[in-house]
Amino acid sequence: MLNVLLLGPQGAGKGTQGKLISGENGIPHIATGDILRAAMAAGTELGRKVKPIYDAGGLVPDDIMIELIRERLCADDAANGFVLDGFPRTAVQAEALDEMLDEIGRPLSVVLEFQLPEEVSIERLTLRAQEEGRADDTPESIRNRLRLYHEQTEPLIEHYRARGNLVGVPANRPIEEVFEEIQRALEQVAVRR
Ligand code: ADP
């Protein structure tokens, strides 16, 4: 079982690496942003509810996100593990995740902390805005998301460091190099178990 959590600022490449980890290890990439975008595209009740928050770069309420993740982690395809990307983003979400993983007896194998200078983050998001035209890649929304990352999500790094399963990943490098380093870290985890 390989339970991987990805932490790090916007634009650090969590989505890209999450998909690679998923493919290589046969575990699903559970990305909250992707789940929300799918809900909005499908026009579900969840999608309609989160759209204004998402577009402004705000945080969807904790209770909604926690229920979403609780259900997703219990799905059959996550039985052998998962790559969780975009959750937790707040202390309340982190506590809820600890609790639910405890309940189902599935501790995190490793927490990968993607490290990227803020100016590179902004550069990458600006480029992505031009290329993909994501609704939340406007300058204002990008500022908001980075601010919320620093205020609410960055402190979670210490939460996981204290538990001893945090691995730093310098993310300002080519995709293949970052992925190689991640795979090495995941092999270490496998050896330790
Ligand atoms: P990024 O990390 O580049 O901001 P994501 O695709 O991970 O992009 O998330 C996009 C948006 O989805 C966030 O700005 C937020 O509105 C919402 N979202 C995703 N995950 C969460 C979460 N765990 N808690 C609250 N809101 C979330």
Side-chain angles (χ1 to χ4, degrees), residues 10 32-33 36-37 58 60 65 86 89 93 128 134 145:
Q10 282 77 5
T32 49
L36 297 177
R37 279 185 288 277
V60 174
M65 296 309 301
R89 263 175 154 90
Q93 292 179 15
R128 185 170 81 186
R134 245 174 69 167
R145 280 148 61 213

Side-chain angles (χ1 to χ4, degrees), residues 1-4 107-112 165-167 182-193:
M1 190 150 71
L2 184 63
N3 303 327
V4 183
L108 292 172
S109 314
V110 66
V111 180
L112 300 174
N165 54 358
L166 189 79
V167 174
I182 288 177
Q183 278 303 118
R184 276 198 297 276
L186 297 184
E187 277 156 27
Q188 287 297 314
V189 170
V191 169
R192 278 208 309 269
R193 270 181 298 153

Side-chain angles (χ1 to χ4, degrees), residues 116-174:
L116 191 76
E118 167 111 0
E119 62 274 16
V120 182
S121 197
I122 295 173
E123 248 169 55
R124 287 188 181 179
L125 290 182
T126 309
L127 195 71
R128 185 170 81 186
Q130 290 157 4
E131 286 170 353
E132 295 177 17
R134 245 174 69 167
D136 65 337
D137 275 346
T138 62
E140 208 182 309
S141 165
I142 289 174
R143 268 198 304 278
N144 210 15
R145 280 148 61 213
L146 285 171
R147 179 180 59 76
L148 288 169
Y149 174 77
H150 289 305
E151 284 176 10
Q152 312 240 16
T153 312
E154 207 168 29
L156 304 182
I157 293 169
E158 293 314 315
H159 174 83
Y160 292 108
R161 196 194 311 282
R163 308 180 142 225
N165 54 358
L166 189 79
V167 174
V169 179
N172 193 11
R173 292 182 300 165

Side-chain angles (χ1 to χ4, degrees), residues 5-164:
L5 177 64
L6 309 184
L7 271 184
Q10 282 77 5
K14 299 189 299 295
T16 303
Q17 298 295 334
K19 287 188 195 83
L20 291 171
I21 298 167
S22 163
E24 188 71 24
N25 299 280
I27 49 179
H29 175 220
I30 302 177
T32 49
D34 289 349
I35 297 173
L36 297 177
R37 279 185 288 277
M40 289 184 286
T44 63
E45 195 192 329
L46 171 71
R48 284 197 302 274
K49 205 162 168 182
V50 303
K51 185 163 188 351
I53 304 170
Y54 174 96
D55 285 352
L59 287 173
V60 174
D62 287 330
D63 54 341
I64 295 183
M65 296 309 301
I66 290 167
E67 272 329 295
L68 204 104
I69 286 300
R70 190 190 299 282
E71 273 171 35
R72 186 62 190 87
L73 290 181
C74 290
D76 288 346
D77 68 335
N80 292 320
F82 53 79
V83 189
L84 190 53
D85 167 5
F87 183 98
R89 263 175 154 90
T90 67
V92 171
Q93 292 179 15
E95 265 167 44
L97 180 65
D98 286 348
E99 247 171 57
M100 67 180 100
L101 293 179
D102 254 8
E103 256 169 47
I104 54 178
R106 301 181 50 179
L108 292 172
S109 314
V110 66
V111 180
L112 300 174
E113 183 214 344
F114 286 61
Q115 300 161 336
L116 191 76
E118 167 111 0
E119 62 274 16
V120 182
S121 197
I122 295 173
E123 248 169 55
R124 287 188 181 179
L125 290 182
T126 309
L127 195 71
R128 185 170 81 186
Q130 290 157 4
E131 286 170 353
E132 295 177 17
R134 245 174 69 167
D136 65 337
D137 275 346
T138 62
E140 208 182 309
S141 165
I142 289 174
R143 268 198 304 278
N144 210 15
R145 280 148 61 213
L146 285 171
R147 179 180 59 76
L148 288 169
Y149 174 77
H150 289 305
E151 284 176 10
Q152 312 240 16
T153 312
E154 207 168 29
L156 304 182
I157 293 169
E158 293 314 315
H159 174 83
Y160 292 108
R161 196 194 311 282
R163 308 180 142 225

